Amino acid sequence: MAYLLILTGQRADDVVELSPAATLSLGSSTEAHIQLPEADVAATHAQVYPAQGSYWFQDLGQGHTHINMDRLTNATHV
């Protein structure tokens, strides 16, 4: 299984299981799969999706995300 660790905000340290078969949306909207209730998080902020044997994170251009598009790895970044 793959997981997404939320690093900051109200949900800091929450771990969310990623789906190997579906795109998950992140945002402040109640319709987002992963809800992030922060003032600077857009309703449809980003998405995580499986492709090419990995998971990818894509900023949807509506918030302050620092990563435009990046492959998520199983490494810990310090």
Side-chain angles (χ1 to χ4, degrees):
M1 287 293 154
Y3 298 90
L4 178 69
L5 172 63
I6 300 171
L7 299 175
T8 61
Q10 295 179 30
R11 294 194 55 189
D13 299 324
D14 280 1
V15 176
V16 180
E17 185 176 341
L18 299 177
S19 170
T23 297
L24 299 178
S25 62
L26 293 87
S28 59
S29 168
T30 56
E31 296 177 13
H33 297 110
I34 302 170
Q35 295 178 7
L36 304 170
E38 313 299 327
D40 60 345
V41 173
T44 54
H45 195 78
Q47 64 183 7
V48 176
Y49 60 92
Q52 302 170 359
S54 297
Y55 287 90
W56 294 77
F57 180 91
Q58 183 174 17
D59 180 1
L60 297 176
Q62 298 181 11
H64 301 309
T65 306
H66 296 288
I67 300 172
N68 183 17
M69 187 170 180
D70 201 7
R71 180 178 169 183
L72 302 175
T73 65
N74 60 359
T76 301
H77 299 281
V78 181

